[in-house]
Amino acid sequence: MKIFNTVFFSKKKVALGDGHVTQYTFFENKNFGGIWLYSWGHVGNQVRMHSHAFSSYCFTLKGSYIQDVLDENGIRRENVSNLFRPRYLPKNYVHRIVDAQPNTWTCVFFGKWSPYWFEYFEDTKTWVKYTWNRKVVDKIVDVSYNEIKDLLNL
């Protein structure tokens, strides 16, 4: 249901490589923020990493997942398994989900959306800049995280 540019109580599948998560939206307003609950299905072969258009706090409620995180030191693998411990994810946090235990649940509280976010395709060293509704704004090729990190804060 959508009222005054705010989504309330919706459900959708979000593709992650050849897998997916189910996203339950309690409310979402790009000018304010919102709350999502994720139920993790099969996750695999996710070739792209992504930042977000917002900063957020994420809580693992049940299960665990493995992610790759890209920062100024390169890509590192991380196991996310601390239940109910808040994790701050700034909008310039670049990651991809690699695997998840069956029946993993997470809750995300997110803030106001900025106009842009990025996906990084490691195989082609390409950054794709998006705006709302996944509209492609720009493609930047052969640029490292260190060279693009200021753009990630837009």
Side-chain angles (χ1 to χ4, degrees), residues 15-154:
L16 293 177
D18 59 9
H20 72 276
V21 297
T22 302
Q23 176 183 296
Y24 299 89
T25 300
F26 291 104
F27 73 93
E28 173 188 311
N29 181 299
K30 288 180 172 56
N31 293 311
F32 177 73
I35 302 172
W36 291 325
L37 184 67
Y38 285 108
S39 171
W40 296 80
H42 165 72
V43 178
N45 284 336
Q46 190 175 3
V47 297
R48 65 181 186 260
M49 303 183 88
H50 64 275
S51 67
H52 297 102
F54 47 80
S55 294
S56 64
Y57 282 94
C58 181
F59 298 83
T60 303
L61 305 176
K62 182 179 180 185
S64 66
Y65 60 94
I66 298 169
Q67 66 177 356
D68 287 340
V69 179
L70 174 63
D71 61 20
E72 52 275 341
N73 298 314
I75 297 174
R76 71 177 187 285
R77 185 143 294 178
E78 186 176 275
N79 185 17
V80 179
S81 59
N82 292 327
L83 299 181
F84 302 103
R85 182 174 293 164
R87 298 177 54 245
Y88 177 66
L89 305 178
K91 62 185 168 185
N92 64 355
Y93 187 82
V94 179
H95 69 137
R96 72 175 156 225
I97 307 304
V98 177
D99 195 14
Q101 282 185 345
N103 207 21
T104 292
W105 288 82
T106 57
C107 185
V108 179
F109 294 82
F110 58 93
K112 178 181 178 178
W113 288 46
S114 66
Y116 306 107
W117 73 95
F118 290 83
E119 288 185 336
Y120 176 64
F121 295 82
E122 185 180 8
D123 57 344
T124 61
K125 297 188 183 341
T126 301
W127 293 88
V128 179
K129 182 179 181 180
Y130 295 94
T131 192
W132 297 355
N133 299 314
R134 291 191 57 80
K135 181 181 174 189
V136 174
V137 175
D138 197 6
K139 290 186 180 182
I140 306 163
V141 180
D142 212 20
V143 174
S144 71
Y145 176 87
N146 289 330
E147 294 170 297
I148 204 165
K149 67 182 173 183
D150 290 335
L151 291 176
L152 294 171
N153 288 315
L154 295 175

